[in-house]
């Protein structure tokens, strides 16, 4: 059996190697020509213009050549910044694994861990096949990363209404073959892939302890190939939400710097839909409708996960400039400080709230408060001041405590609080942009030639309007489409393990091993 | 209740948004003008001078414009270096959480974890409110990070003696508002904040398993707002210790590259004071004065924490150049290697020492040996050669073993060895600068125009003198003031949990949950 | 006793300080002159030439000076890239510790952790003393890191055959003293040290649960001082394997980008030899030759370790360009994406294979599948396209499942699957270069003026031939010499703990403590 599989795989691979592998029309796979003199143009207010560069070829030939190295240095700074930030975000997968496993029960720990590990592999494949192409296939080059525009190959789906183009879907970059075998495209792919992965891993928390692996795998491809990339295209890939400013005068269009909406609300609302379809764990709700707490089995594990997430978030938010040098990219320092302040404020707010509410600062809610602050600041982190980040985080820390209780109240069983942390606070973050954006950053964003300004800084309702349209769209897309997907899948591939399996713990029945075979457990 | 809190918070936030949030006189919050032609001046021995730059505007106009991009590239390299290093240091919080929890008992694990999580949130707020302003409010711009000097707004407390200024306290940058809403200031804030956080989390180890949360929270603000920032100002913010060279001829003044003293000794001596006031855990000391070992409950957790700390330390030490390009900043490579060598030497020394002493290489002491090496090299890492780093680490690894025994002997109960690791080896690191500094680095430091030279390299007693003054000051400030603080607080807010609570484990009584509800524990 | 040791150490250190510490003929320890105008030459296709630079001194004096800063910026980008990547690789030590401990039994957890912590300290010392000098002492300067060539001091052992030089061993850079006290040399040392450490920590997995500490310590020096550095010299330090192209026309010589062979096969085959000499754990094999599974005691720990390894691998592979700016270094983006894709493919392949084979996706094999993909892509990551990386990873994920069964079949007891993951897939990675290298990268590598091309892209058998010679050499060196070493050592210092100790768990007998003193364990 094993031998047959190997032979088969080798055969497939050899064939593929002769097809997929041949890098026809590769753009700059060797990284040689990316980053050059043209990248210095407009990098700073005093930087050379295109005309300056042209003239210099004759008047200052050495400096003109030197500009080539300066340009590549700039691109190298930006590309390495994006990669390092992407690595940090990838590490968040470990944070999610620990938080979700720590906050659930020992008898399902191997299963929860497996989902968090598996989603990374599945997600990479799905995003490689078509997710990236759908999301960014119409986005064109990212200036910070240098190179020639490749992705905007004119291949996209869009509606044109009254002369304005509203993008729906990108259609280039599948499998990163041909001219997409390029250093700039690869840097963008890696960074965006780990964002998708973050969204994809959120539902594994809300649906933990009762989800069949086979159904989870199908979900993984659904999320990485369709659900996430399509909303991602609308918000970040040049799609219709991003063009609400240029096309309809709504501020800078839907603005979501690092993805409170694109990543966290998509994940959080999909988690809500999944948890609703899947139903509550046995024993979670009493016949009178009241909820029983089911404590997490390993608090240090969950707190470690929380700190890993907070660490990785410094890649998530500051990395989302896609650069560190040129054109306002030093803003990364403000972004990082805002991220730090909001996480701290969320943590402290939850600590105070829980102490007032139940008399003690429950560490699991303190951790969730920190995560809530992080989720909420993710959209506005580049557009607000440190003081405002603190406020956004404070509110997030309280919202999450209320949210967890609320989810219980509507009889949805979310073992780790994913809906409250990512869904509710994702929405809060998206709205916060429309309220707090202070007009110091974002000029040129989504093709609008002014900084992002929210209600509290004299921006009126325009930006807030774009944000609210985003929230409504998220409701329909991330919750609605997910709900239909889960309902449909459940009919074909039943999502839930059997009652006997669930009571015994699904580690053995779903994964074949147990998480802690040597530790004695309480009954 | 919950609803009232939310309304209140929203009200406060709206008001604050109209006050705090309005970025009046912001310096360069958008990161547009920071990093420019002037930043190339003096970057290397052959770099253009200010006059060169001025002349070039006419003779080589293109190159002059190009210099703007080169300057921003340099600042971008440095700013991103500082941020990445700061992220690594932030991650050390996870390392501390694991080491402290792993080396204490299971019944208090949620509480120990909560303190390590909570201190980050509390610390960020305290440092944001006034800690940063007290520490750096008189420091001026950091050249590596570009931008216009903002912090040195002439707002500081200082004594002038015989025509020499001795700074006591900075007074600008509170809340990062107004002109402190600036990319360079933010980068500096983030990096310094995580250093403060490191100092602040050290006492939670020495005081674990018996400290009330409410008292811990008050301590958190004391540390982040006062104790750490004020010594920090003296050593790093241009204060009197740093000026001992320029003002009194003592070498380059008190030199403490990445904070063996500023961070670790402050944390370690504060921990000592706290542990003394708090008293030993029940069962630690017998009536005849002998000590009972209380083994940590989770060795893999503690070792993982140790490795996370060693990883984060590569941000701690090499990040402390505050730059990677220009003016000797490539020294970061030597700093990193020195850090690695000292950690290895500390580890091996403790391994050998314990094998000789007790016959077996106790993993908890091996881990502490590694940490001791890291603490000790933190001050001298930039001023010594690799071979000398090895020696400093070797001594540290032995000192920590002796130190742990010593702390037991004076009947102070320090569950994790924080006093020996951070207090004793912090002092050793500070002194090591005065002994081993080899005169290859540090020119211009603290306003003194020569490299740092210690006793063994012909520097005489000048540098050693400055270091010893630093150590004495640390004794008075970090131990003395902390002791008075804890004594005073203890009268108003009793620090210690009740005997009944302590015996039962304080997870439930202090945090409301237990760390491992499903695992069967030994009696 | 303790006091005597301290006095002794202080004495030794003082003496050493006067010897080792004195930085005679230091190259550029202060990082001042490294990175200058000459580093812009040839950085990009349009960059200035040496003649341009010379002429510019007269015609464009400002630009010529500016070039100094541009050159240092470039070097700073590259040096900081190498350091950050090195830090990530160092963190892999935590990943190995967790994977190995999680996949073994609780009664030996402190011992397994101690080996993983200890090998870092031992390895640093061994590599510092002579490992680095043997490996890179003949390699010369690395252009990306700037500075003056120092290491190629003409000190090497080499054979000259028919006019071609075949290097055997470097002989400069011991203790990083003298002119090797240099920022560029230090950056190189740090990066290479963590690679050695990775190789050195692999056998601790295969030999876990029965290896005496004293014997392990001796092994640690053998690996870091001899076994690894010498093969490393042949492959990466300019030695004979690397010159098979220039000297014998075999493609670009032995090509192993980030060390599938140099690091992983060396570690994996040494692990095989060690496990063979050490013998199987009691209870692993039945008298009829069949194997009993011995499940790991902590699956979440092992999965966390796996994710940490996957995170650190983003330093391992993309860092191996030793730069981010200049001369094709932007290729790092492709390298990173290839690494991600292969890890995902390995994960998914193992998941599918195990589901087909045993009906369930055993998380420990899924984790090993991911690691196998990473090991296999390590050599070819820079030379293949994303699609081909996926194939290489797919095959690796299946190979590891077959490999684990195979190792059982030959009655070698490898508790964590180290031989299958690192040994077998390391070899697969080395061979994959010869098959899949697509001719888009590697021009100039090992002194050969064309890109690396494998069999499937028209390169014929030349490159594959060099790779196979590498594999055969690995067999002789990494397995053969290790086997002799272990056999010899076993006679002088018996490697194995006693039967009584092994049955009781070797934590207490070897380390003096137990890993989980408070948890109740199953019998």
């Amino acid at each position: 059996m094993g031998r047959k599989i190997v032979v088969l795989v080798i055969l497939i691979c050899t064939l593929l190697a002769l097809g997929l592998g041949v890098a026809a029309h590769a753009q700059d796979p060797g990284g040689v020509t990316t980053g050059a003199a043209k990248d210095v143009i407009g990098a700073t207010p005093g930087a050379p213009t295109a005309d300056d560069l042209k003239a210099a070829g004759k008047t200052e030939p050495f400096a003109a050549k030197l500009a080539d190295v300066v340009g590549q240095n700039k691109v190298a700074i930006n590309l390495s910044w994006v990669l390092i930030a992407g690595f940090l975000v990838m590490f968040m997968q470990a944070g999610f694994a620990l938080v979700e496993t720590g906050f659930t029960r020992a008898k399902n720990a191997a299963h929860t861990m497996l989902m968090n590990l598996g989603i990374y592999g599945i997600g990479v494949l799905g995003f490689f096949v078509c997710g990236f192409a759908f999301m960014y296939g119409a986005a064109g080059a990212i200036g910070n990363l240098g190179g020639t525009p490749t992705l905007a190959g004119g291949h996209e789906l869009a509606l044109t209404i009254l002369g304005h183009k509203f993008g729906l879907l990108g259609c280039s970059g599948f499998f990163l073959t041909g001219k997409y075998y390029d250093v700039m495209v690869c840097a963008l792919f890696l960074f965006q892939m780990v964002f998708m992965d973050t969204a994809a891993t959120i539902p594994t928390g809300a649906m933990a302890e009762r989800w069949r692996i086979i159904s989870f795998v199908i979900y993984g491809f659904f999320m990485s190939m369709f659900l996430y990339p399509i909303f991602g295209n609308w918000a970040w890939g040049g799609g219709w939400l991003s063009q609400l400013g240029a096309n309809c005068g709504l501020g800078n269009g839907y603005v979501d710097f690092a993805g409170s909406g694109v990543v966290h609300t998509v994940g959080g609302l999909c988690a809500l839909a999944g948890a609703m379809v899947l139903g509550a764990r046995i024993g979670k709700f009493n016949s009178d409708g009241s909820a029983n707490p089911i404590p997490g089995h390993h608090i240090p594990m969950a707190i470690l996960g929380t700190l890993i997430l907070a660490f990785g978030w410094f890649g998530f938010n500051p990395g989302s400039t896609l650069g560190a040098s040129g054109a306002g990219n030093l803003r990364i320092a403000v972004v990082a400080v805002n991220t730090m302040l909001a996480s701290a404020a969320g943590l402290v707010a939850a600590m105070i709230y829980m102490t007032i509410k139940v008399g003690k600062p429950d560490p699991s809610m303190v951790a969730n408060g920190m995560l809530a602050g992080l989720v909420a600041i993710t959209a506005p982190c580049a557009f607000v001041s440190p003081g405002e980040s603190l406020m956004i985080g404070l509110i997030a820390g309280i919202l999450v405590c209320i949210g967890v209780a609320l989810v219980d109240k509507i009889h949805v069983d979310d073992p780790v609080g994913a809906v409250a942390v990512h869904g509710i606070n994702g929405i809060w973050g998206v709205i916060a942009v429309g309220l707090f954006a202070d007009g110091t950053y974002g000029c040129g964003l989504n093709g609008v030639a002014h900084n992002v300004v929210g209600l509290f800084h004299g921006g009126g309702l325009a930006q807030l309007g774009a944000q609210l349209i985003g929230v409504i769209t998220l409701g329909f897309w991330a919750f609605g489409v997910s709900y239909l997907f889960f309902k449909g899948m459940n009919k074909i591939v039943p999502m839930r393990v059997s009652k006997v399996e669930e009571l015994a713990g699904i580690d053995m029945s779903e994964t074949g091993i147990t998480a802690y075979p040597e530790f004695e457990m309480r009954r």
Side-chain angles (χ1 to χ4, degrees), chain A:
Chain A
M1 181 72 181
R3 186 170 306 180
K4 273 186 208 159
I5 296 174
V6 176
V7 172
L8 195 70
V9 167
I10 290 176
L11 262 173
I12 293 170
C13 288
T14 313
L15 288 170
L16 280 169
L18 302 171
L20 262 187
V22 175
H25 312 294
Q27 199 79 12
D28 182 18
V32 176
T33 57
T34 301
K38 70 178 177 49
D39 293 302
V40 310
I41 297 165
T44 68
T49 63
D51 288 342
D52 289 340
L53 182 60
K54 210 168 164 186
K58 286 182 189 162
T59 55
E60 299 173 53
F62 176 77
K65 288 183 177 186
L66 189 60
D68 230 37
V69 186
V70 177
Q72 192 175 58
N73 275 350
K74 174 176 161 252
V75 168
I77 294 166
N78 293 344
L79 192 129
S80 56
W81 174 253
V82 167
L83 291 180
I84 293 167
F87 304 160
L88 291 179
V89 179
M90 179 266 157
F91 189 40
M92 290 172 69
Q93 187 65 66
F96 278 105
L98 295 168
V99 167
E100 295 181 6
T101 305
F103 282 154
T104 51
R105 284 168 296 178
K107 64 181 177 180
N108 304 312
H111 176 264
T112 306
M113 272 283 159
L114 178 63
M115 290 199 297
N116 276 281
L117 182 66
I119 195 65
Y120 179 74
I122 295 162
V124 169
L125 297 198
F127 204 65
F128 178 65
V129 170
C130 68
F132 180 69
F134 287 167
M135 184 160 175
Y136 278 97
I142 304 297
N144 284 334
L145 300 177
T148 315
T150 52
L151 286 162
H155 301 299
E156 65 171 318
L157 284 182
L159 285 177
T160 303
I161 302 173
L162 299 175
H164 293 303
K165 199 173 76 172
F166 292 89
L168 296 176
L169 205 61
C171 306
S172 72
F174 299 96
F175 293 99
L176 299 181
T177 51
K179 70 176 176 177
Y180 311 109
Y181 180 18
D182 172 83
V183 295
M184 180 278 275
V185 175
C186 279
L188 187 62
F189 174 85
L190 183 133
F191 193 70
Q192 302 303 339
M193 155 56 213
V194 288
F195 274 64
M196 186 289 300
D197 183 48
T198 303
T201 206
I202 292 169
T204 61
M207 299 165 76
E209 308 202 73
R210 59 207 191 278
W211 197 4
R212 282 174 66 214
I213 291 287
I214 178 73
S215 156
F216 151 77
V217 169
I218 296 168
Y219 148 82
F221 286 110
F222 164 72
M223 177 59 110
S224 61
M225 296 170 92
F226 301 102
L227 190 78
Y228 176 88
I230 291 172
F231 188 82
N233 175 271
W234 300 348
W236 288 348
W240 69 274
L241 275 174
S242 73
Q243 300 307 308
L244 288 175
N247 285 346
C248 314
L250 291 174
N252 290 55
Y254 173 74
V255 165
D256 187 356
F257 190 66
S260 289
V262 176
V263 179
H264 295 281
T265 311
V266 165
L269 292 186
C270 176
L272 176 62
M276 284 171 72
V277 174
L278 198 53
R281 288 168 296 172
I282 297 167
K284 176 65 191 176
F285 295 107
N286 300 319
S287 52
D288 67 352
S290 59
N292 299 311
I294 301 182
H297 85 285
H298 203 311
I299 299 306
M301 186 185 283
I303 304 286
L304 169 61
T306 304
L307 286 167
I308 288 177
L309 287 172
F311 171 53
W313 232 290
F314 286 115
F316 212 95
N317 288 0
S320 291
T321 50
L322 297 179
S325 184
N329 283 330
L330 295 176
R331 181 75 177 186
I332 50 176
V334 172
V335 172
V337 165
N338 286 349
T339 302
M340 174 181 267
L341 281 163
S343 71
L347 187 163
V348 170
M351 210 167 167
I352 295 172
Y353 184 92
M354 291 308 289
T355 304
I356 293 174
K357 193 89 182 171
V358 306
K360 277 161 197 171
D362 178 347
S364 53
M365 285 316 299
V366 174
N368 273 336
M370 186 186 212
L371 297 178
L374 287 162
V375 168
I377 202 62
T378 297
C381 59
F383 309 107
V384 301
S385 68
E388 290 162 319
S389 301
L390 199 114
M391 297 167 216
I392 292 168
L394 278 177
I395 294 173
I398 292 168
L399 272 183
V400 75
C401 297
I402 296 171
V404 163
L406 197 73
V407 171
D408 265 3
K409 213 162 269 175
I410 61 168
H411 289 182
V412 173
D413 181 13
D414 175 2
V416 305
V419 175
V421 169
H422 301 278
I424 294 173
N425 277 292
I427 292 171
W428 163 231
V430 170
I431 294 171
V433 174
L435 298 174
F436 290 95
D438 70 357
T440 59
Y441 188 73
C443 186
L445 191 65
N446 289 333
V448 177
H450 59 70
N451 286 328
V452 182
V453 194
L455 183 64
F456 295 165
H457 288 273
L461 294 167
Q463 190 60 49
L464 188 59
Q467 301 307 107
L468 291 173
I469 292 173
V471 170
I472 292 163
T473 308
L474 281 163
F476 277 99
W477 183 258
F479 179 76
V481 173
S482 295
Y483 191 83
L484 294 177
F485 165 75
F486 285 122
K487 271 284 182 193
M489 172 164 65
N490 203 17
K491 296 214 164 134
I492 304 161
V493 182
M495 292 168 65
R496 182 121 184 190
V497 297
S498 76
K499 199 172 164 178
V500 172
E501 287 169 348
E502 186 176 341
L503 286 171
I506 59 177
D507 273 3
M508 193 49 88
S509 58
E510 286 291 309
T511 78
I513 60 172
T514 59
Y516 308 106
E518 300 185 32
F519 290 89
E520 196 66 61
M521 291 294 158
R522 287 189 186 138
R523 302 287 133 197

